[in-house]
Amino acid sequence: MSGSSGAASSAAPSFRVWALGGIPEVRAGDDLAKLIAAAEPGLVDGDVLLVTSKIVSKAEGRIVEAADREAAIDAETVRVVARRGPLRIVENRQGLVMAAAGVDASNTPAGTVLLLPEDPDASARAVRDGLRDALGVDVGVVVTDTFGRPWRNGLTDVAIGAAGVRVLDDLRGGTDAHGNPLSATVVATADELAAAGDLVKGKAEGLPVAVVRGLSHVVASDDEPGARQLVRSAADDMFRLGTSEAVREAVTLRRTVREFSDEPVDPGAVRRAVAAAVTAPAPHHTTPWRFVLLESAESRTRLLDAMREAWIEDLRRDGKSEESIAKRVRRGDVLRNAPYLVVPCLVMDGSHTYGDERRDTAEREMFVVAAGAGVQNFLVALAGERLGSAWVSSTMFCRPVVREVLSLPSSWDPLGAVAVGHAVGVARERAVREAEAFLTVR
């Protein structure tokens, strides 16, 4: 494969890139440089070798026993950047921000996972030095891995390690073809090389090494900084926190959903939402929230059947006709149609008793407000997990029934029930509410 820029002519810049065949299955302890040299790559000075990180990891014995891939991801994670359901974008111990910390369960024996090289730049240096010793050539080496990108669909290879390659081409201070100054142009040359190699290596062809020829100007001395130079520092990362943007997005996503698909709900996502819920403010340093998770169909059915019977009795006492009662019960089936239910409860542990009705009422109201803040946090966090929800007040009207069926302490006051699941269809656009309509300024 070749590439060019400018008008087609003999003087136009060009390069060649091809995949190198003949690399055997790599095992722990193998010398990659010797394996590559044995494949008779025909390397010359100025070539760039692109090596898939997977074979580097195998040679370095980075295969570990791990029946639970999530635990392996936890071990390699320094910071969780974003999470949606089981997918995590994290910063790993190499400083790379990527999906699942680079922990790979493909092309490795069952019950094991493959971790990224401990120091990809050092791995690249070892291959470069080994090829110099074996073949007498001065080549650049780039260790590549597959990344997704924010705001872009699809995957591409990028450089995670490099040796003897100018990984960045800083054009700042120069001018473009029209004489305009270049003030922010720094080209990620090593990433461009990695992507070019991926075009010929492919993802499933068993060709883990590629060679680029014709770009000798990117090959540099041994003391050239490695691919670590490509990792943006925390101080320069405009999206490192993104807290306000993330909260606003989750709040916007939060809608009342009344129709759910059969897709199961990840219990871990609900627990993460509870973790967000209990960060709400509360009086007297208390924790006035409890969340009862109804994960089994049996527990949901038992509760909803008992609540329905209590509701029907209430409606009959109110003199409603059987037809009217049937219609109301059908409208209340949003909880029955959900694959997961949560019953948030208020507890008054730590509250003060004043012996004065006005102050005691205000005390309870403080706790109710705090519990409501917790439930709002919970709903917003569910939306951030791409889960739909509907907060229904029904359990508040039959608290004794709920406590009995769920074996809850008498001091727990159910605050409705939250139906949780994956929404069917696309929610309608939310009506615009101008903040000014809800403000009073003094």
Side-chain angles (χ1 to χ4, degrees):
M1 178 176 292
S2 66
S4 64
S5 62
S9 71
S10 59
S14 65
F15 67 92
R16 289 180 57 219
V17 55
W18 67 93
L20 180 63
I23 304 295
E25 178 66 25
V26 176
R27 303 185 187 283
D30 282 349
D31 186 324
L32 277 184
K34 289 182 178 178
L35 291 181
I36 293 169
E40 299 183 354
L43 296 175
V44 299
D45 289 348
D47 285 349
V48 178
L49 203 69
L50 309 170
V51 183
T52 302
S53 64
K54 186 166 294 189
I55 66 169
V56 178
S57 295
K58 288 182 176 181
E60 294 178 356
R62 295 284 285 164
I63 298 176
V64 298
E65 298 287 339
D68 182 1
R69 180 171 179 249
E70 295 302 305
I73 295 171
D74 288 341
E76 291 296 297
T77 294
V78 172
R79 176 174 62 97
V80 176
V81 177
R83 184 167 197 160
R84 181 173 299 163
L87 176 62
R88 280 185 280 174
I89 307 298
V90 306
E91 179 183 346
N92 66 12
R93 293 192 295 109
Q94 290 84 359
L96 303 169
V97 175
M98 61 190 307
V103 176
D104 194 348
S106 63
N107 294 315
T108 185
T112 67
V113 294
L114 199 60
L115 310 181
L116 289 178
E118 188 79 37
D119 183 345
D121 284 333
S123 303
R125 288 193 297 271
V127 173
R128 172 178 162 89
D129 292 342
L131 289 172
R132 181 185 289 135
D133 292 340
L135 301 177
V137 292
D138 191 24
V139 298
V141 175
V142 175
V143 176
T144 71
D145 197 55
T146 302
F147 273 47
R149 286 99 16 94
W151 307 292
R152 303 284 290 179
N153 286 323
L155 303 169
T156 187
D157 267 22
V158 302
I160 66 168
V165 172
R166 294 187 180 89
V167 297
L168 292 172
D169 189 8
D170 191 347
L171 303 179
R172 291 173 296 182
T175 57
D176 65 15
H178 297 278
N180 300 309
L182 299 174
S183 58
T185 304
V186 182
V187 178
T189 304
D191 283 349
E192 293 183 326
L193 289 166
D198 191 43
L199 290 173
V200 294
K201 288 189 295 178
K203 299 299 183 190
E205 284 76 13
L207 298 170
V209 178
V211 181
V212 173
R213 179 167 296 167
L215 299 177
S216 58
H217 62 282
V218 306
V219 176
S221 62
D222 288 334
D223 57 1
E224 186 72 21
R228 181 75 189 192
Q229 191 180 9
L230 292 162
V231 177
R232 194 183 299 275
S233 69
D236 293 335
D237 187 353
M238 293 176 62
F239 302 98
R240 182 175 181 83
L241 296 179
T243 306
S244 59
E245 295 91 344
V247 170
R248 281 198 297 269
E249 174 71 6
V251 170
T252 300
L253 286 171
R254 195 211 65 74
R255 307 287 182 88
T256 296
V257 174
R258 298 191 178 277
E259 188 177 2
F260 300 96
S261 73
D262 294 332
E263 184 178 352
V265 171
D266 174 16
V270 178
R271 284 161 172 76
R272 291 192 292 273
V274 171
V278 299
T279 64
H284 314 317
H285 306 289
T286 59
T287 54
W289 328 270
R290 301 293 185 273
F291 292 84
V292 184
L293 311 183
L294 305 186
E295 296 185 339
S296 72
E298 187 274 334
S299 65
R300 294 192 296 272
T301 300
R302 186 158 47 89
L303 174 64
L304 295 176
D305 284 350
M307 288 172 57
R308 180 170 58 187
E309 293 305 314
W311 187 18
I312 290 172
E313 289 181 16
D314 285 345
L315 293 172
R316 284 174 178 159
R317 280 194 297 268
D318 292 341
K320 303 297 182 183
S321 69
E322 293 302 316
E323 181 181 0
S324 173
I325 290 172
K327 287 181 179 178
R328 290 168 183 262
V329 169
R330 281 197 300 271
R331 285 201 300 270
D333 273 348
V334 61
L335 295 179
R336 197 171 291 275
N337 296 332
Y340 198 109
L341 290 184
V342 178
V343 178
C345 296
L346 165 69
V347 297
M348 296 290 291
D349 296 351
S351 63
H352 296 172
T353 300
Y354 300 95
D356 174 281
E357 183 178 356
R358 176 182 59 83
R359 297 172 73 191
D360 286 342
T361 298
E363 180 79 0
R364 180 174 175 81
E365 288 175 347
M366 282 199 307
F367 276 73
V368 171
V369 168
V375 175
Q376 170 69 353
N377 278 9
F378 180 64
L379 300 177
V380 170
L382 288 174
E385 296 277 353
R386 290 301 193 269
L387 288 169
S389 65
W391 185 15
V392 181
S393 62
S394 54
T395 68
M396 299 173 70
F397 292 90
C398 55
R399 283 171 172 157
V401 172
V402 176
R403 283 193 287 258
E404 180 181 355
V405 172
L406 299 181
S407 301
L408 303 180
S410 60
S411 59
W412 289 26
D413 283 343
L415 295 177
V418 180
V420 182
H422 297 273
V424 172
V426 179
R428 291 180 297 178
E429 286 295 318
R430 188 190 299 274
V432 176
R433 294 174 181 171
E434 297 295 339
E436 294 297 325
F438 303 92
L439 298 178
T440 298
V441 181
R442 294 287 187 266

